[in-house]
Amino acid sequence: MAVTLNSDGAAMTGSRDGVDLFTYVYRPHDVPYESPRPYLHPLRTRGGDVVSAYRPWDHVWHKGIAWSLPHVGPWNFWGGPNYVREQGTYVDLDNDGSMEHEQFTALGPCGFTEELSWRTPPAADGTPGEVVVREERTVQVVVPDDAPDAWVLTFRSVMTNVSAGPLDIGSPTTNGRENAGYGGLFWRGPRSFTEGQVLVPTDDGGAAAADAEDVRGLRAEWLGFVGRHDGEAPSAAGGSRSSTVVMVDPGSNPGGTPQWFVRSVPFACVCPAPFFSQEVPFAAGQTLTFDYAVVVADGAADGARGSALAALGRHVLAGEGAGLETGHVTPAGAR
């Protein structure tokens, strides 16, 4: 189940059976306004369909799947403007920071661990900003033999506040905008996924379709999204190809079971938001750890399949940590 990892010094691609499942760009060439930070794009199913969007015109700081936090103390590590309570609107505050790759500390057949420094914006004279957070990030991939139409990506972020004061983490909602609590591991779907179907867990342990507007802010352990692709039909029967993305939260992250930020219109996005309606304290010297699984599957999912994909994600999360070689590895210029 090994995934081939190839690096060119700025990006890393994970492949299996001739399909590039993901590219992880760890040295992006983004302008400061877009809060330069690593991201996963393109993200593909095992059948080769792309299930992520990069730099859409409506929000150019949305990039595939990225760890994106709009309110970290006074700093923006999301990109773009901030919602300002006193003005009741979004304002460009010139506070967009960056997450900078420092080095890989582990690289194995199924993933990697890297160190990053979170910097405040550079000074007017070009002097680099201050490092306020240091992060250890681990990304791993599992391609199960018994699920030939799905694979799982796990994401762990261990963040330490190295600044001199608190950097409490919030959202536009904690800053005054109703029901807009985005921030965290954020997925932006392809344009063709607009008006796609949202899946949510039910009280009986199953799952059901739901309207994205109705469930934004829902507390749940997982949430799924089914979208359709442009292009040729898979067979003479006609119709459109579909794919499913399920994001899973283990329930142990800061903030407890997350509220979900999700849209189907005017675009597709999903984010388990630990800071949706209440800030998570982040004191000087404190370390916060966040874990997630993202399940990428060919084809549409109903409630039963959505529950099964979420269970697969939970199973992989429970075994996270295996498969990485330890020690300092610097392949093909990756540092």
Side-chain angles (χ1 to χ4, degrees), residues 251-267:
S252 57
N253 290 325
T257 301
Q259 293 176 268
W260 289 81
F261 184 84
V262 54
R263 287 191 185 279
S264 179
V265 176
F267 53 79

Side-chain angles (χ1 to χ4, degrees), residues 45-61:
T45 68
R46 293 180 69 175
D49 282 319
V50 175
V51 294
S52 59
Y54 170 76
R55 208 172 178 272
W57 63 264
D58 50 71
H59 294 77
V60 293
W61 46 87

Side-chain angles (χ1 to χ4, degrees), residues 165 204 290:
D204 61 2
F290 298 87

Side-chain angles (χ1 to χ4, degrees), residues 22 131 133 155 169 181 231 240 250 259 308 310 317:
F22 70 90
V131 176
V133 174
F155 180 96
I169 307 173
S240 299
Q259 293 176 268
L317 269 179

Side-chain angles (χ1 to χ4, degrees), residues 7 13 21 39 56 75 111 113 118-119 130 189 197 211 213 244 257 271 304 306 309 312 331:
S7 175
T13 299
L21 299 178
Y39 59 86
W75 310 113
T113 298
W118 295 31
R119 288 188 181 273
E130 174 191 1
Q197 182 64 67
D211 185 277
E213 294 298 312
T244 302
T257 301
C271 173
L309 293 173
L312 173 62

Side-chain angles (χ1 to χ4, degrees), residues 16-333:
R16 174 65 185 261
D17 297 330
V19 175
D20 292 342
L21 299 178
F22 70 90
T23 294
Y24 181 70
V25 179
Y26 55 89
R27 284 200 176 104
H29 300 289
D30 297 330
V31 298
Y33 184 67
E34 297 175 23
S35 285
R37 61 201 184 280
Y39 59 86
L40 291 141
H41 174 82
L43 201 69
R44 291 185 173 90
T45 68
R46 293 180 69 175
D49 282 319
V50 175
V51 294
S52 59
Y54 170 76
R55 208 172 178 272
W57 63 264
D58 50 71
H59 294 77
V60 293
W61 46 87
H62 290 182
K63 285 154 187 169
I65 292 181
W67 187 234
S68 306
L69 308 181
H71 293 274
V72 182
W75 310 113
N76 179 346
F77 292 94
W78 170 278
N82 283 110
Y83 190 84
V84 178
R85 181 190 302 271
E86 293 74 17
Q87 300 185 44
T89 189
Y90 282 89
V91 180
D92 291 331
L93 299 178
D94 297 321
N95 65 340
D96 298 290
S98 59
M99 302 179 193
E100 299 179 1
H101 169 87
E102 296 290 349
Q103 64 177 358
F104 289 106
T105 57
L107 185 66
C110 295
F112 58 86
T113 298
E114 66 173 329
E115 293 178 349
L116 302 103
S117 296
W118 295 31
R119 288 188 181 273
T120 62
D125 63 2
T127 303
E130 174 191 1
V131 176
V132 293
V133 174
R134 295 199 181 277
E135 179 191 358
E136 180 183 82
R137 178 177 300 183
T138 300
V139 174
Q140 294 192 67
V141 174
V142 171
V143 184
D145 290 329
D146 57 353
D149 55 359
W151 65 279
V152 184
L153 179 142
T154 60
F155 180 96
R156 167 173 287 181
S157 173
V158 182
M159 303 164 49
T160 301
N161 179 354
V162 296
S163 74
L167 294 172
D168 296 348
I169 307 173
S171 72
T173 293
T174 65
N175 230 36
R177 186 184 176 201
E178 185 179 356
N179 207 28
Y182 53 78
L185 192 64
F186 186 86
W187 167 76
R188 174 70 186 256
R191 189 72 60 183
S192 67
F193 276 31
T194 302
E195 299 184 14
Q197 182 64 67
V198 175
L199 295 173
V200 299
T202 55
D203 292 339
D204 61 2
D211 185 277
E213 294 298 312
D214 293 338
V215 298
R216 189 179 311 130
L218 173 75
R219 288 193 183 274
E221 294 181 354
W222 66 270
L223 191 141
F225 197 103
V226 180
R228 294 179 295 178
H229 297 280
D230 295 329
E232 296 180 0
S235 70
S240 299
R241 298 186 320 282
S242 296
S243 297
T244 302
V245 174
V246 175
M247 301 184 76
V248 181
D249 183 289
S252 57
N253 290 325
T257 301
Q259 293 176 268
W260 289 81
F261 184 84
V262 54
R263 287 191 185 279
S264 179
V265 176
F267 53 79
C269 70
V270 176
C271 173
F275 335 99
F276 192 106
S277 58
Q278 186 173 355
E279 289 187 338
V280 170
F282 194 21
Q286 184 178 4
T287 296
L288 300 175
T289 299
F290 298 87
D291 287 299
Y292 300 96
V294 181
V295 187
V296 179
D298 288 290
D302 57 12
R305 189 180 186 216
S307 295
L309 293 173
L312 173 62
R314 286 194 297 270
H315 175 74
V316 172
L317 269 179
E320 186 178 18
L324 276 180
E325 298 173 2
T326 57
H328 185 85
V329 183
T330 309

